[in-house]
Amino acid sequence: RDRLYEELRKEAHAIKGAAANIAAPALSRLAAELEHLGKKRSLENFDPLFSRFEIEYSRLTQIVHAVSLGNME
């Protein structure tokens, strides 16, 4: 189980940095919260947090897709 917490921490840390680099602060903040859970080895409030993360990630991918198609207004 420790390996799962470490994986959560590492992946969330990578996403946090990448999101910050592309000016996606909401996604970066949520990833930081997930990283913190991994560090604490806790899943307290994981489900609602991950749901918010998925929503924000979806928003970002929609924006990136629109930009790539030249459909940004």
Side-chain angles (χ1 to χ4, degrees):
R1 191 160 195 167
D2 283 347
R3 194 176 91 221
L4 293 176
Y5 288 119
E6 181 59 17
E7 192 70 22
L8 172 61
R9 186 201 64 75
K10 284 173 44 180
E11 295 300 326
H13 178 79
I15 294 168
K16 177 183 75 173
N21 285 336
I22 63 168
L27 186 63
S28 183
R29 261 191 318 276
L30 291 166
E33 290 182 46
L34 288 168
E35 179 185 18
H36 183 69
L37 288 181
K39 285 180 183 177
K40 286 189 346 179
R41 293 180 161 28
S42 168
L43 294 179
E44 183 179 341
N45 296 317
F46 176 83
D47 289 338
L49 175 59
F50 193 73
S51 291
R52 291 188 353 248
F53 175 86
E54 287 180 308
I55 290 166
E56 196 58 38
Y57 180 81
S58 178
R59 287 183 63 234
L60 176 63
T61 58
Q62 289 172 3
I63 291 168
V64 169
H65 184 69
V67 168
S68 72
L69 295 176
N71 294 336
M72 211 48 205
E73 294 181 19

